[in-house]
Amino acid sequence: MRGLLTLHELKEDKIQEIINYALKLKGGFSKKYVGKKMATLFFENSTRTQYSFQVAMMNLGIQVVGFNASVSSVQKGETLYDTVRTFESLGLDGVAIRSSEDNYFEKLKNIKMPIFNGGDGASNHPTQCLLDLMTIYEEYGHFKGLKVCMIGDISHSRVAHGNIDIMQRLGMEVYISGPEEYNDGSAKYMDFDEAIKTCDVIMMLRVQFERHKEKMHMTEAEYFAKYGLDNKRVAAMKDTAIIMHPAPVNRNIEIGDDVVECSKSRIYKQMTNGVYVRMAVISMVLDGDL
Ligand code: CP
């Protein structure tokens, strides 16, 4: 299949190539692909990923074909394959897809048009991981030896699951922290306050209430007191350390209202970098480099 579905199949030097290209695009770009058409087929809610893909497409001169699942034939029982196959038949040059189904793309093996995964279930979110890596690389200029801790709802997080493998492959020391009920053992556990004092990157994760089958075993106030990033914890971070969060944020649950835009926060920079990473990925796929 063409496009970008997961980061597992990409070697570390290819990841670095994408980041370098995204950084180059951040310095200037042209509408290189006028005449091409793409769509974002999102079957799960999104603000950042869907619209950042659209901005990336528009920046490259690609025409964006509108799609809204709630008023499409999906409501008449059309399958994912049939929706995607329809857009391919219409002559599109690629689609970005988000679905709550893990590995949905396995059903799309017959599709020849490039597919850009905008998130599947709790498994993968490759362009989010790339924008996270770009933001870290912009900050430190390297990955090797950096200590990162992801804190919070690990078990429901495709961002955590996608990032752990690639960050380890790039030589980072990766830890997880947060409530026991969301610890799926996907990386070594570190006490939250120990992580605050020692890590270069503190990556807070959203509590994904909409994915929970059982109610959280503590109140939101208790969660914030134990695992929330407040000003007191920010003050205990290393001088050079940064705060990241894929967003949307639950203000005053996993992150304090006044921490979201504090000087250590790179949350809005992550969103900006998302546009350039997606431009890089789309360009490299269209040029046959990915
Ligand atoms: N980070 C992220 O995937 O945000 P959206 O759900 O708004 O796309």
Side-chain angles (χ1 to χ4, degrees), residues 69-86:
S70 66
V71 290
S72 74
S73 289
V74 171
Q75 301 308 320
K76 303 177 198 167
E78 183 176 78
T79 65
L80 173 68
Y81 175 81
D82 286 336
T83 305
V84 177
R85 186 73 183 87
T86 299

Side-chain angles (χ1 to χ4, degrees), residues 45-50 98 125 128 246-248:
N45 296 345
S46 166
T47 304
R48 275 143 288 275
T49 313
Q50 171 154 233
R98 171 175 285 186
H125 195 347
Q128 177 70 45

Side-chain angles (χ1 to χ4, degrees), residues 45 99 108 271 281 283 290:
N45 296 345
S99 166
L108 303 177
M271 295 177 208
V281 166
S283 303
L290 189 62

Side-chain angles (χ1 to χ4, degrees), residues 16 20-21 38 56-57 65 77 100-101 131 136 155 161-163 183 201 203 236 239-240 254 262 268 275 278 290:
Q16 188 65 57
N20 292 347
Y21 194 22
M38 290 192 180
M57 290 166 186
V65 178
S100 53
E101 191 181 329
L131 73 87
I136 293 168
S155 56
H161 295 143
N163 266 333
N183 176 3
V201 179
M203 188 179 286
D239 286 346
T240 52
E254 73 265 355
C262 75
Y268 285 93
V275 173
R278 290 174 179 118
L290 189 62

Side-chain angles (χ1 to χ4, degrees), residues 77 119 220:
E220 291 176 2

Side-chain angles (χ1 to χ4, degrees), residues 60-219:
L60 293 169
I62 297 166
Q63 206 170 342
V64 179
V65 178
F67 173 77
N68 179 346
S70 66
V71 290
S72 74
S73 289
V74 171
Q75 301 308 320
K76 303 177 198 167
E78 183 176 78
T79 65
L80 173 68
Y81 175 81
D82 286 336
T83 305
V84 177
R85 186 73 183 87
T86 299
F87 277 93
E88 184 175 53
S89 309
L90 298 179
L92 265 70
D93 299 286
V95 289
I97 301 177
R98 171 175 285 186
S99 166
S100 53
E101 191 181 329
D102 291 282
N103 303 310
Y104 67 80
F105 41 80
E106 282 172 6
K107 293 179 175 165
L108 303 177
K109 286 188 174 139
N110 289 340
I111 302 292
K112 292 181 183 62
M113 147 184 89
I115 294 169
F116 305 96
N117 185 6
D120 61 289
S123 295
N124 304 283
H125 195 347
T127 56
Q128 177 70 45
C129 297
L130 287 167
L131 73 87
D132 291 341
L133 292 172
M134 177 181 173
T135 306
I136 293 168
Y137 188 74
E138 246 188 334
E139 193 74 31
Y140 291 104
H142 67 98
F143 296 110
K144 214 167 176 53
L146 291 177
K147 279 172 80 170
V148 56
C149 189
M150 294 175 217
I151 299 111
D153 189 354
I154 306 290
S155 56
H156 298 96
S157 174
R158 54 189 167 218
V159 176
H161 295 143
N163 266 333
I164 289 167
D165 169 61
I166 185 60
M167 286 180 171
Q168 286 173 338
R169 282 199 282 138
L170 289 165
M172 295 176 73
E173 272 184 56
V174 186
Y175 299 92
I176 55 173
S177 192
E180 189 51 39
E181 63 187 294
Y182 303 136
N183 176 3
D184 60 7
S186 49
K188 200 170 166 192
Y189 190 88
M190 186 184 270
D191 171 75
F192 183 29
D193 286 308
E194 177 66 19
I196 288 287
K197 281 186 272 175
T198 62
C199 285
D200 302 295
V201 179
I202 292 295
M203 188 179 286
M204 305 306 296
L205 297 175
R206 184 171 68 88
V207 183
Q208 305 204 38
F209 293 105
E210 76 282 5
R211 289 172 192 252
H212 294 175
K213 291 195 172 75
E214 277 180 39
K215 204 171 176 305
M216 189 164 72
H217 294 138
M218 67 187 96
T219 65

